Amino acid sequence: MHSTLLLLPLFGCFHLIPGVGASLCGPCNKDACSSVTCAAPELLTNDDCDCCDRCLSIEGESCGGRDETRARCAPGMVCVSRSSFGSESSSLSEGTGFCLCEEDGAVCGSDGRTHSSVCALRLQSWKTQSQGQGTIHKVHDGECKFGPVISIAPKKIHNVTGAQVYLSCEVKAFPTATISWRKVTESPKGVQLFEELPGDRMNVAVQVRGGPSRHQSSSWLMIKPLTNEDDGTYQCLATNMVGQTFAEGAIKVLEHHPRRKKNNHH
């Protein structure tokens, strides 16, 4: 957390500010209290007058203020002044700051999902507990690792000899996957054989780049000019430290017969 942030002294100090909130607390009338529904039961608390129910604020929600209705942050969070981030509060009664998790950075949860912060993980754990689905704990700091998933597989295409063709493949994985291409053939005994591409094929090129989205890689196999030997099945293979997967496409090569020009006799 940068030292320039201005923290509002609300979390952990639930007593009223002398001369401000205390003078506004009269006799408690439960019938006048509005009903509230919190994101999780653990966020339910009493207001500063110890009368009506209210919810503790979660990440990004308002906190602070100068009257008895001022919002407080949930455990593990601090109330940060909006002015520290170049924005002003629209209403003092709605809060002068917003809640920010004390611990920065994404974390990987036991549910296999990446959570934006340990506070977000804690909130999700409270929700699953209230639904009878057990708790979620932090497995490690940083994003969750997962094996390659092919989002766009190579297609089956038809073209004629001499043409230029592409097969494409998009993969999502963390850590980022490496992508390779292989041509799949079969031996006379029925055993699958794999030819790594481009190999020594002069008419074959492979290109790989990151994107278009986070943790995604894209790859293309280009063949030019297309020959009869290029007919067959092609495999996009994606691998990272978690695992590997593949998807197959195919190229059907047709013989190109150029049309003969007719001679016009005058």
Side-chain angles (χ1 to χ4, degrees):
M1 189 70 64
H2 297 292
S3 58
T4 57
L5 297 184
L6 175 62
L7 305 184
L8 302 182
L10 295 178
F11 177 71
C13 301
F14 295 160
H15 59 277
L16 298 180
I17 299 176
V20 179
S23 61
L24 298 176
C25 290
C28 178
N29 181 8
K30 291 285 187 180
D31 294 334
C33 296
S34 302
S35 62
V36 296
T37 301
C38 302
E42 287 80 0
L43 297 174
L44 185 65
T45 186
N46 288 336
D47 61 16
D48 284 343
C49 291
D50 198 24
C51 179
C52 299
D53 290 338
R54 73 172 303 149
C55 299
L56 295 173
S57 296
I58 58 177
E59 278 190 284
E61 292 185 344
S62 296
C63 58
R66 295 182 180 176
D67 55 32
E68 82 286 357
T69 64
R70 66 185 186 273
R72 303 193 300 267
C73 296
M77 284 180 269
V78 290
C79 190
V80 181
S81 169
R82 295 182 188 275
S83 60
S84 300
F85 289 83
S87 60
E88 298 297 332
S89 175
S90 60
S91 171
L92 292 177
S93 62
E94 292 179 358
T96 59
F98 65 96
C99 296
L100 190 67
C101 192
E102 289 181 313
E103 298 183 40
D104 289 334
V107 295
C108 179
S110 56
D111 57 349
R113 293 174 51 195
T114 298
H115 301 266
S116 58
S117 68
V118 69
C119 296
L121 182 147
R122 185 183 299 116
L123 176 60
Q124 186 60 35
S125 181
W126 286 338
K127 290 179 179 179
T128 57
Q129 278 183 279
S130 64
Q131 297 167 0
Q133 299 175 4
T135 61
I136 302 171
H137 62 272
K138 184 179 80 170
V139 177
H140 59 75
D141 291 323
E143 299 181 56
C144 294
K145 298 177 176 63
F146 60 94
V149 177
I150 295 180
S151 51
I152 297 181
K155 298 179 179 179
K156 296 180 179 179
I157 60 176
H158 295 72
N159 216 321
V160 297
T161 54
Q164 175 177 296
V165 297
Y166 290 91
L167 291 176
S168 61
C169 185
E170 286 189 7
V171 180
K172 192 165 187 178
F174 184 71
T176 303
T178 58
I179 304 175
S180 59
W181 290 88
R182 308 189 295 187
K183 185 177 182 184
V184 185
T185 57
E186 194 173 282
S187 71
K189 295 184 179 180
V191 178
Q192 271 195 333
L193 303 175
F194 300 98
E195 177 190 357
E196 299 293 334
L197 298 174
D200 58 358
R201 289 179 177 255
M202 301 299 294
N203 65 330
V204 177
V206 172
Q207 182 180 4
V208 180
R209 70 169 178 83
S213 62
R214 185 175 173 83
H215 301 321
Q216 194 168 42
S217 300
S218 303
S219 181
W220 297 267
L221 176 75
M222 184 189 77
I223 303 178
K224 179 186 179 181
L226 192 64
T227 68
N228 289 320
E229 293 181 357
D230 299 316
D231 189 282
T233 301
Y234 292 81
Q235 189 178 97
C236 168
L237 178 67
T239 307
N240 73 356
M241 62 184 296
V242 181
Q244 70 175 24
T245 187
F246 68 88
E248 293 182 345
I251 298 176
K252 180 64 178 178
V253 181
L254 306 174
E255 191 67 39
H256 176 54
H257 298 289
R259 294 180 179 179
R260 293 182 180 180
K261 293 182 179 180
K262 293 183 179 180
N263 294 323
N264 295 324
H265 299 281
H266 299 282

